[in-house]
Amino acid sequence: MAYQLNDRIKNLTPYKPIEGDFKIRLDANESFLTLPEDLQTKVQNAVSAAKLNRYPDPYATRVIKAFSELYGVDKNMVTAGNGSDELIQLIIGTFFDDKDELVTLSDDFSMYRIYAETYGVPVSVFPKNKNLEVNIDALIDYINKSGAKGVIFSNPCNPTSLVIDERHIKRLVRSINALVIVDEAYMDFADEPVLDNVKDYDNLIVLKTCSKALGLAAIRLGFAVASRQITKALRAVKSPYNVNAITQAIGEAVLTDGEYCLDCIRKIIRSRDMLYNDITKLYIKYDEIEKVYETTTNFVFVKTPKAKYIFDELLKRSIAVRYMGDYLRISAGSKKENAEFIEAFEDILKGIED
Ligand SMILES: *Cc1c(COP(=O)(O)O)cnc(C)c1O
């Protein structure tokens, strides 16, 4: 054989979302909202004006300006990425080498560990407690003892939906000689951001995405906010034209409409509160639901020993949610989608009890 894949990648398999057409998709934490007509027109005009024969702006200047104004951050501390996934991959792949340990938490977003393994970065896993909460003092101790080069986690957390207080995160940043990467993909639905604090610390990176609250998962647009030193390095290691012209145009059109963005967030929070309340009612009625976690995101995390069975039964009814071991993760949908999900969920729970 002339060529052998290296050990790190030879057994990897491509990411596989749930396949098939489902009537209701509550499996990927996407937004259920679509653009209103006037904004749709603005987006179409922006796309029409894009010069398709030219390379896009390598620094995504206009969309970064729109993002910076919307979130009140210094535009010189922002790097745009082809989804925040690209930025996670870049940071792990270029800020760490094969001796630099990266600490991840468990349970948390699985891509952190997968990217680290792909790039040969040693990963260690700090466990959460049985309530899926993070003991920050223990984490600080753990990092200081291990001499790790960095730690990455989502806050609020996907999949637990729990949030760590801002003051705890700041204490972590101040207490370790390591890079702290906080993925705030869901912080629009919670109120413990450390985005504002990036200017105070040189060892903090905050990641944001347009895929969740702003309903733009399709265009792949995310941002890393960090010190100028880190930003300079990130901009240098990224591929020059990582954010395409269409994405830049659409991102700018939507991010400059602050009122629309806030309205999306309010509507999604209303939907997830409704979903949480309805699932909690089922929790009171049916023993098979062991726990419903407090939600600070756009989804609800549920513990049940019957997770696999319920997941399969929901699929039969053309409703997709995310199945994870003893848990189900259900994204907030429209009023109608939530209601149909709840009806099917209750029907399945009833069937188990009979
Ligand atoms: C959805 C999600 C992202 C999203 O990333 P994009 O690549 O910007 O779509 C990042 N982090 C977490 C924890 C997520 O759940």
Side-chain angles (χ1 to χ4, degrees), residues 8 87-104 112-113 115-124 143 146-153 176-182 203-205 207 230 233-234 237:
R8 276 185 282 116
L87 297 164
I88 295 167
Q89 191 174 10
L90 261 180
I91 292 164
I92 293 176
T94 65
F95 284 45
F96 294 81
D97 69 28
D98 60 3
K99 303 221 169 27
D100 296 333
E101 181 182 322
L102 174 66
V103 175
T104 59
Y112 310 140
R113 187 180 43 78
Y115 286 136
E117 286 170 0
T118 309
Y119 287 101
V121 173
V123 209
S124 70
I143 293 168
S146 71
K149 180 94 182 240
V151 57
I152 184 167
F153 56 91
I176 61 175
N177 286 312
L179 184 61
V180 179
I181 305 148
V182 186
N203 62 328
L204 173 63
I205 302 179
L207 299 168
I230 289 174
L234 249 184
V237 296

Side-chain angles (χ1 to χ4, degrees), residues 244-258:
N244 73 69
I246 304 294
T247 292
Q248 292 191 35
I250 299 174
E252 187 194 356
V254 175
L255 290 169
T256 46
D257 192 339

Side-chain angles (χ1 to χ4, degrees), residues 83-85 109 112 154 158 183 185-186 209 211-212 220-221:
S84 52
D85 246 305
F109 192 47
Y112 310 140
S154 57
N158 174 13
D183 183 348
Y186 299 95
T209 177
S211 300
K212 307 289 156 60
R220 315 301 305 124
L221 182 61

Side-chain angles (χ1 to χ4, degrees), residues 300-327:
V300 180
F301 197 49
V302 175
K303 187 172 190 188
T304 163
K306 293 287 191 322
K308 179 73 172 96
Y309 175 78
I310 295 166
F311 169 75
D312 287 334
E313 286 296 312
L314 285 167
L315 281 188
K316 284 185 202 162
R317 293 161 169 83
S318 203
I319 299 175
V321 300
R322 182 71 191 268
Y323 159 67
M324 319 169 99
D326 286 333
Y327 302 94

